[in-house]
Amino acid sequence: MLDVDTFLVTVYCIVDDLYAERYAAQKPRRRGAKPEMADSEVLTLALLAQWEPHRSERAFLRYVREHWRSYFPRPLSQSAFNRRTRDLMGVLCQLGPAISQATHQVLGSTPAYEVLDTVPVPLMRRCRGVRRRLFGVEAAIGCGGSDRDWYYGVSLLAAVNQQGHITGFVAGPANTEERWLADALLRWRQNPHAPAPHPEELAPVLSPSHHGPRQGPTGPLTPQGAVGVSSHVPYLGDRGFAGAAWNRHWREDYGATVLTPGHWAAPQQHPPRWFHRLRQIVETVFYVLADQLGLKYPRPRTYWGLLTRLAAKISAFNMLVHLNYRNGLPAFSFLSPLA
């Protein structure tokens, strides 16, 4: 078990090295006084804030001022911290996949496959969500999760490798079909500057569905910079990603092979057990995100704030797995600097 001093120093050093190597040169220069806290410090606190048991940024910053002032001698006010964190949202989106790539270097191995799956992210109770006071087309009412319950929020698609890292993610309204989310992730991995997928664009490629013309997303699919890098390993998906036209489109246009149970199982047979066994890791990843890092009801007040918190949680999760591998611990052991 890491002590708090080692934990904080290690997290900061990893974040600072990645920021200096990949993102610092891209940040535009702005007028005014030099910020009291460096970007690497703000990013570090944004990750550590996800371990706050009550998910309160105010309580977390109070804890930093009282216990970690030797590490962060000039802590920001809550409003200033919120502004700086949201200003670094683009970096947070890319930081999670970057930590995953750093782990590959530590382990000296390359994943053999990635798992695609979606997890519901409720933003508020369904009855409140219908009133749409905080979100418009960015969120919707959908059905998902293991209990197939209705909720108001967004659907998060994640690509998870065999080591348990989230290599990329994309989110859309809760009523978005899984294959549109997968298309966005695979498309942006192949071409980061491509527009979001649209039914009219894919109509010549995809055959019409049994219910008529295909219905695309009702809101934005984002964030574009969080999908990670292109991968040549196969993707393992459930039946929600099945479809001959979709699979052919992904293989021919994006160079991505998406395997589903239907590739092996005949209509009268059960899917192979090994396929489900390989996919089980994504369930553990979603459990840690929801139960320990507060993925459900993240309490954003704006869509930009929602994307920032999702990116921070993904980055915090990958940092957790990275530290466990570095210290010879099981991948999903929970380390908390606030314990």
Side-chain angles (χ1 to χ4, degrees), residues 245-260:
W246 282 101
N247 282 260
R248 183 175 59 252
H249 160 57
W250 293 331
R251 184 175 59 254
E252 295 178 356
D253 296 337
Y254 306 147
T257 301
V258 180
L259 305 178
T260 62

Side-chain angles (χ1 to χ4, degrees), residues 309-331:
R309 295 195 179 193
L310 291 180
K313 293 181 187 300
I314 298 289
S315 299
F317 172 83
N318 279 354
M319 179 66 73
L320 175 70
V321 178
H322 179 81
L323 292 176
N324 285 332
Y325 276 122
R326 285 179 57 133
N327 293 278
L329 299 173

